[in-house]
């Protein structure tokens, strides 16, 4: 059993919201200005602010909320229900910064009355499917609802949830990795005194699981075999990136040397899942040790700072990083001022508690 699991559930959804709301003002800044970021985050951390500026959430959280609602109301996974919630939410409130092409999926889902929830996504990009990070960015409710599942069951659930919009192998595998990273964080007990945990144990577990995911032979329903294999050997791009991260973390000197800009160059910072999920995971691990450019003793704050410092798809990378960090450290470590800046924080906390209530045999 995990100590204070409900606190970790709350931290996961609160963290994801904070990363999205505080990251979206910088989305597409590439590179991001150090001084602007320093001043911004310093300001959002002020305890005694007269007024807390409210930052709206974007598509990342809109879709996370739909996922959570579907699990909470049905107490099971239903692809049609989830597809309908995504689509209805989009048409109700379309100006949330959705991806350029996923909106066609929402239109096609509505047009076909959600009868074939996987069809529109399969047809995207001439049948190759989206490899955007939209499946990964909304996956936290899967890790919470599926907390008690076996790896194989959790992976299947994450895949089926992602494929409603993202049928490209790298699109749904990114969602699987993000989901596994959150579940691993929920199961990891960081030190009650200095919040440390074993980075190597954490990474090795993810590498072992992703290796299995990426080397498993694809079924005929996968529509992008050309991406999967070269010379009969399955490609393992996510596993390769995790191994790159592992190599960097073998030397603390190397870790200290790498600025956000350099990490963005090595791992990526764009809207594709492959060039954002590993960067989010890196940011969480980077949060374990001090950051010269932003002095904070709080590893959640350091994670947020580093994720934003990558630039590019900041709302999504920070949201994914902070949902993992929140799952690791728990809600109590998240500074109160940060949450006060976020639209719908109380609702996300409520959803995390509702999802916790659904976990059997706690
Ligand atoms: N859309 C954005 N940000 C840019 C604009 C918003 C900004 N606030 C502004 O207005 O200035 N952010 C959101 O989108 C990302 C998630 O996107 P998702 O859900 O994966 O969408 P989509 O459309 O499926 O994919 C995104 C783009 O990736 C490229 N792409 C994907 N698969 C492709 C393929 N097989 N071949 C070629 N290109 C592919 C396309 O350019 C898609 O438009 C998050 O950042 C979220 O915050
Ligand atoms: Mg967004
Ligand atoms: Mg698609
Ligand atoms: Mg984004």
């Amino acid at each position: 059993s995990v100590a204070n699991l409900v606190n970790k559930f709350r931290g996961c959804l609160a963290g994801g919201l904070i990363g999205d709301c505080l990251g979206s003002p910088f989305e597409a800044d590439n590179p991001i200005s150090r001084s602007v970021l320093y001043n911004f985050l310093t300001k959002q951390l002020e305890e005694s602010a007269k007024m807390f500026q409210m930052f709206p959430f974007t598509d990342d959280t809109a879709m996370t909320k739909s996922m959570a609602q579907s699990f909470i109301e049905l107490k099971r996974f239903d692809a049609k229900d989830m597809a309908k919630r995504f689509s209805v939410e989009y048409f109700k409130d379309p100006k949330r910064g959705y991806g350029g092409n996923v909106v066609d999926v929402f239109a096609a889902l509505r047009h076909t009355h959600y009868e074939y929830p996987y069809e529109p996504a399969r047809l995207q990009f001439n049948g190759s499917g989206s490899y955007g990070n939209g499946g990964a960015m909304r996956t936290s409710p899967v890790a919470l609802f599926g907390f008690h599942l076996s790896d194989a069951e959790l992976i299947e659930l994450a895949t089926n949830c992602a494929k409603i919009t993202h049928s490209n192998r790298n699109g749904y595998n990114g969602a699987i990795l993000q989901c596994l990273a959150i579940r691993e964080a929920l199961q990891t007990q960081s030190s009650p005194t200095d919040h440390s945990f074993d980075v190597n144990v954490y990474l090795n577990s993810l590498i072992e699981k992703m290796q299995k995911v990426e080397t498993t032979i694809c079924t005929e329903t996968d529509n992008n075999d050309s991406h999967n294999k070269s010379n009969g050997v399955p490609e393992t791009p996510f596993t390769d990136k995790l191994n790159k991260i592992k190599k960097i973390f073998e030397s603390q000197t190397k870790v200290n040397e790498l600025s956000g800009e350099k990490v963005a160059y090595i791992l990526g910072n764009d809207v594709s899942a492959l060039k954002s999920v590993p960067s989010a995971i890196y940011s969480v691990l980077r949060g374990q040790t001090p950051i010269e450019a932003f002095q904070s003793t709080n590893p959640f704050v350091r994670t947020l700072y580093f994720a934003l410092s990558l630039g590019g798809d900041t709302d999504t990378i920070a949201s994914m990083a902070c949902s993992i960090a929140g799952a690791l450290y728990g809600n109590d470590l998240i500074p109160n001022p940060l949450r006060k800046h976020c639209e719908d924080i109380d609702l996300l906390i409520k959803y995390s508690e509702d999802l916790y209530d659904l976990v059997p045999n706690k």
Side-chain angles (χ1 to χ4, degrees):
S1 83
V2 180
N4 219 354
L5 187 59
V6 68
N7 184 33
K8 283 168 153 285
F9 271 48
R10 290 187 193 113
C12 177
L13 293 197
L17 176 69
I18 289 167
D20 181 16
C21 293
L22 300 186
S24 74
F26 303 101
E27 198 183 19
D29 285 10
N30 209 358
I32 189 165
S33 154
R34 285 306 106 133
S35 58
V36 169
L37 176 57
Y38 181 90
N39 292 334
F40 174 82
L41 201 51
T42 303
K43 189 164 175 226
Q44 310 320 320
L45 283 161
E46 272 173 17
E47 297 274 356
S48 55
K50 277 201 205 76
M51 214 187 71
F52 286 89
Q53 184 185 353
M54 190 57 73
F55 292 92
F57 63 75
T58 77
D59 59 326
D60 306 59
T61 301
M63 297 193 82
T64 300
K65 284 167 62 180
S66 293
M67 302 267 292
Q69 287 159 4
S70 183
F71 286 132
I72 292 163
E73 282 180 32
L74 271 53
K75 299 183 173 59
R76 62 184 165 80
F77 169 61
D78 183 300
K80 285 186 195 179
D81 181 77
M82 210 168 258
K84 182 170 182 179
R85 285 174 199 272
F86 290 156
S87 182
V88 166
E89 168 60 33
Y90 168 70
F91 285 104
K92 194 181 77 194
D93 190 5
K95 292 199 173 135
R96 290 282 183 181
Y98 283 89
N101 293 74
V102 71
V103 298
D104 298 337
V105 175
F106 301 142
L109 286 168
R110 181 166 79 164
H111 184 74
T112 52
H113 308 285
Y114 320 104
E115 211 36 58
Y116 310 100
Y118 293 108
E119 261 322 277
R122 250 176 27 78
L123 299 171
Q124 289 288 90
F125 300 98
N126 296 317
S128 64
S130 174
Y131 54 60
N133 54 21
M137 74 185 184
R138 62 169 191 251
T139 201
S140 47
V142 180
L144 303 186
F145 180 74
F147 175 73
H148 64 290
L149 298 177
S150 69
D151 285 344
E153 290 166 332
L154 185 64
I155 287 163
E156 192 190 344
L157 181 61
T159 309
N160 291 335
C161 289
K163 278 185 171 177
I164 297 170
T165 50
H166 289 68
S167 70
N168 185 283
R169 180 177 189 251
N170 283 353
Y172 61 78
N173 277 350
I176 291 172
L177 175 55
Q178 173 65 13
C179 186
L180 290 173
I182 292 172
R183 210 258 292 262
E184 196 71 28
L186 292 169
Q187 290 170 331
T188 299
Q189 216 60 71
S190 61
S191 153
T193 48
D194 66 358
H195 314 293
S196 63
F197 67 96
D198 194 326
V199 165
N200 216 36
V201 168
Y202 182 84
L203 264 179
N204 283 341
S205 171
L206 286 186
I207 288 169
E208 191 188 314
K209 287 169 190 178
M210 267 330 272
Q211 173 104 37
K212 234 183 248 168
V213 167
E214 290 192 300
T215 52
T216 298
I217 304 304
C218 295
T219 65
E220 69 265 31
T221 58
D222 280 313
N223 59 2
N224 27 249
D225 296 76
S226 58
H227 289 280
N228 295 356
K229 288 177 191 184
S230 61
N231 307 323
V233 183
E235 287 173 4
T236 56
F238 285 97
T239 312
D240 298 350
K241 286 222 161 146
L242 291 171
N243 277 314
K244 246 186 203 175
I245 295 173
K246 185 177 149 120
K247 261 219 121 70
I248 294 170
F249 277 91
E250 277 163 8
S251 151
Q252 188 58 44
T253 317
K254 181 91 188 151
V255 169
N256 293 338
E257 268 171 22
L258 291 181
S259 65
E261 217 174 307
K262 284 188 185 148
V263 172
Y265 179 77
I266 297 169
L267 296 176
N269 67 354
D270 69 24
V271 295
S272 70
L274 183 58
K275 290 185 174 176
S276 58
V277 178
S279 310
I281 292 169
Y282 184 97
S283 302
V284 178
L285 306 181
R286 183 63 186 87
Q288 273 284 293
T289 52
I291 296 173
E292 212 182 278
F294 197 86
Q295 306 278 328
S296 169
T297 53
N298 184 321
F300 179 89
V301 173
R302 293 196 293 231
T303 297
L304 173 61
Y305 172 83
F306 197 83
L308 296 175
S309 78
L310 297 174
D313 193 1
T314 45
D315 65 332
T316 304
I317 295 174
S319 180
M320 295 191 295
C322 290
S323 64
I324 301 169
L328 248 173
Y329 305 120
N331 193 45
D332 296 347
L333 199 76
I334 300 176
N336 256 319
L338 291 183
R339 69 183 85 238
K340 286 189 189 165
H341 289 289
C342 299
E343 179 186 3
D344 270 1
I345 180 69
D346 294 339
L347 188 57
L348 271 295
I349 292 288
K350 166 90 169 67
Y351 287 165
S352 69
E353 291 168 354
D354 290 346
L355 288 166
Y356 176 78
D357 288 340
L358 294 178
V359 176
N361 318 314
K362 292 187 282 281

